[in-house]
Amino acid sequence: MSVIRHPGVLGQRTRRRLVGLAAALTVAVVEALAVSLWFGLVITARTTTTALTGLGILLCGSLLRITIFETTITDSAPPLTLERVGTALTLTAGWVVWLLLAEFLGGVAGVLVATVCLTGALTAQFCFECYVFHSVTPTLSAVTPVLSAAVLALGAAALLTTAWFVDWTIGSPFAELDAGIIAIRIETIQLAALVFGLCAFLAHQHRFQRLLEPDL
């Protein structure tokens, strides 16, 4: 009845929902590209150059992700700030520690322990971002940061699992064209990147929905 009496409420909620979906999709694409590229570089080539390149990609992706988050939540896009750089650095550090911990332990235990630790680190990261950019401190009973972090950590676990334990490739027959011979090759790490991107979308969509539509 309140929506019928105030039709503008429905339009406002719809607009917020669309903004949240668009922001979640954009953030998911940015995070999936940054994390997957960094992860692929680090596990395929153990050199200082690739490590620094991957770290730069991860940091730039984290900074862009946080910028989109800040712009969506605050409806503004201020110049580069120390708060934004600081949150990007903590997010980047969380991913690096996750991979180092998984490789240090190794095997299934490494994947499980690293996933649990990443869930905790991302939960703290999401709470920190809300406090810095939204002036909101989630209570201990709030499940949104934990749930979003857990979904994103599961996507990261898919990257580790496929890189360490799954080794198969889907390839199409060779096709002759005027430009030459082509074939489609799909590897498991590429499918894992898609899974990670889907998990990132679900995680951030839940976050944005709760932040933009707190009354739901």
Side-chain angles (χ1 to χ4, degrees), residues 87-199:
T87 51
L89 288 174
T90 57
L91 179 59
T92 302
W95 284 111
V96 173
V97 171
W98 161 74
L99 184 56
L100 291 175
L101 180 61
E103 291 188 334
F104 177 76
L105 296 176
V108 177
V111 175
L112 293 177
V113 174
T115 300
V116 173
C117 291
L118 181 62
T119 300
L122 290 175
T123 299
Q125 175 73 29
F126 293 160
C127 293
F128 181 55
E129 290 176 7
C130 287
Y131 176 75
V132 172
F133 301 119
H134 199 49
S135 299
V136 173
T137 304
T139 61
L140 294 177
S141 61
V143 297
T144 297
V146 179
L147 182 59
S148 297
V151 172
L152 191 56
L154 287 177
L159 288 176
L160 276 177
T161 302
T162 53
W164 288 0
F165 307 117
V166 182
D167 186 17
W168 53 262
T169 303
I170 300 176
S172 67
F174 291 100
E176 294 186 5
L177 300 176
D178 295 337
I181 299 176
I182 64 170
I184 299 176
R185 180 185 176 93
I186 301 176
E187 298 182 353
T188 53
I189 191 66
Q190 296 169 339
L191 296 178
L194 291 177
V195 172
F196 178 80
L198 177 60
C199 290

